[in-house]
Amino acid sequence: MPVRTMYGRARGLAWVVPALAMLGVFVYLPLVQNFGFSTLTWDIYSGDQEYVGLENYRRLVGDPVFWSSFANNLWYAALSIVFQVFGALLLAALVESVRGERWQRALRAVYFIPSAISLTVAGLLFYFVYEPNIGLLNHVLDAVGLGEFAQSWLGQESTAMFAIIAMSQWQGFGYSTLLFAIAIQRIPSELYEAAALDGVGPVRRFFQVTLPLVREMTGLMMMVTVSGAFQVFNEVMVMTSGGPNNSTQVLGTWLYRNGFVRNDFGSAAAIGTVLFVITLTIAMAQLWITRRKRVEW
């Protein structure tokens, strides 16, 4: 191998090695340590530790709150895909079809404004929107003659989780729309002009031109959205703290409650390991599906 080639590779590695070292210390080493902690019963305040093997995982399997939390994350992921992926894609296509650059910019700004609000502030805002006595939602229902549907949205097990999900979709919808709008702008206008000359209507143009050419962004958004759905924390803690009766617990809040409220850091570490496996599996599956579709297309 020529000396110049070896020198070039050595220079490349000199830039890569520090980044890999940082990842190893701050990402991969904590993952390994977390799995080790999940095999212990650990009192963080006294420092007492006892090795219990996989007992924490067996307890999770028999914990009904763990499974209800997992189901809430699944609901969160499914509805997020509907609204923040496919709904945002449809809205982005509608915005980009509006004639006039000024109107397009105005609409993008209007839809993006909720995404500029922090999750904590949005959660507090909707906490008062859902308030049963003075809340805006119940007042609107009364005003339009639907007062029989007014209820305590965050105080009932049947509605609390979906109320939280609705708030999060409102908050994140504009960001997804903006990303899809950028992807649509990168599509050559000649393709739309050729489709219009062939007599293709706007609906068929969406399915035959827009949808195939934003598949990379769609795959990325699905992966990010689903992974984010299993890392939900702020929304639930601000609005319900997991109540009523643990009906809005998600894996992130149940991890927090086990670790910092019940002082059971072994179980909290086990939940963290499960969360890591779930998100890694979703990411790998999505990457495999996207790569396979890329080859087919």
Side-chain angles (χ1 to χ4, degrees), residues 8-20:
R9 291 187 175 181
R11 288 186 60 186
L13 288 174
W15 290 99
V16 172
V17 168
L20 290 177

Side-chain angles (χ1 to χ4, degrees), residues 31-283:
L31 288 174
V32 175
Q33 289 180 322
N34 184 78
F35 178 75
F37 295 152
S38 70
T39 62
L40 307 172
T41 56
W42 182 13
D43 186 330
I44 192 66
Y45 301 111
S46 67
D48 296 335
Q49 297 181 2
E50 180 183 354
Y51 177 78
V52 294
L54 300 178
E55 179 61 29
N56 288 323
Y57 294 95
R58 284 192 288 268
R59 287 167 52 196
L60 284 183
V61 172
D63 182 4
V65 179
F66 170 80
W67 290 109
S68 65
S69 301
F70 180 69
N72 286 336
N73 282 111
L74 289 178
W75 273 113
Y76 201 105
L79 294 175
S80 295
I81 289 176
V82 172
F83 290 101
Q84 293 194 33
V85 179
F86 297 111
L89 173 57
L90 179 60
L91 179 60
L94 291 173
V95 170
E96 294 305 310
S97 67
V98 173
R99 294 185 178 182
E101 182 66 23
R102 181 178 299 178
W103 281 107
Q104 289 181 0
R105 291 178 179 176
L107 289 173
R108 291 186 204 121
V110 167
Y111 289 120
F112 184 74
I113 285 174
S115 299
I117 302 174
S118 73
L119 280 174
T120 302
V121 174
L124 289 172
L125 172 65
F126 271 77
Y127 179 84
F128 292 106
V129 169
Y130 290 136
E131 208 280 332
N133 297 316
I134 63 172
L136 177 63
L137 180 55
N138 283 348
H139 277 289
V140 170
L141 290 174
D142 287 332
V144 298
L146 298 174
E148 66 271 16
F149 294 103
Q151 54 192 293
S152 178
W153 299 96
L154 296 177
Q156 298 181 150
E157 297 181 23
S158 58
T159 59
M161 191 65 214
F162 294 104
I164 295 173
I165 294 175
M167 182 279 296
S168 66
Q169 303 311 304
W170 172 85
Q171 198 272 341
F173 191 70
Y175 181 73
S176 302
T177 300
L178 184 62
L179 291 179
F180 277 119
I182 294 172
I184 292 173
Q185 291 172 13
R186 296 175 59 187
I187 300 175
S189 59
E190 293 82 0
L191 296 177
Y192 290 107
E193 293 171 0
L197 289 173
D198 289 339
V200 178
V203 176
R204 286 183 60 193
R205 283 201 299 269
F206 173 77
F207 285 102
Q208 296 182 1
V209 179
T210 304
L211 194 58
L213 293 179
V214 297
R215 61 182 181 270
E216 296 286 344
M217 179 60 73
T218 304
L220 175 63
M221 287 303 300
M222 288 188 67
M223 182 172 63
V224 172
T225 300
V226 175
S227 298
F230 281 92
Q231 300 174 36
V232 174
F233 181 80
N234 286 356
E235 303 94 308
V236 177
M237 289 300 295
V238 169
M239 298 182 73
T240 63
S241 296
N245 195 27
N246 289 325
S247 62
T248 60
Q249 294 285 1
V250 290
L251 292 178
T253 57
W254 193 233
L255 182 156
Y256 171 84
R257 183 166 294 276
N258 274 274
F260 293 96
V261 177
R262 301 170 63 182
N263 193 21
D264 187 356
F265 275 80
S267 293
I271 297 173
T273 301
V274 172
L275 268 173
F276 168 72
V277 171
I278 291 172
T279 53
L280 178 64
T281 302
I282 292 170

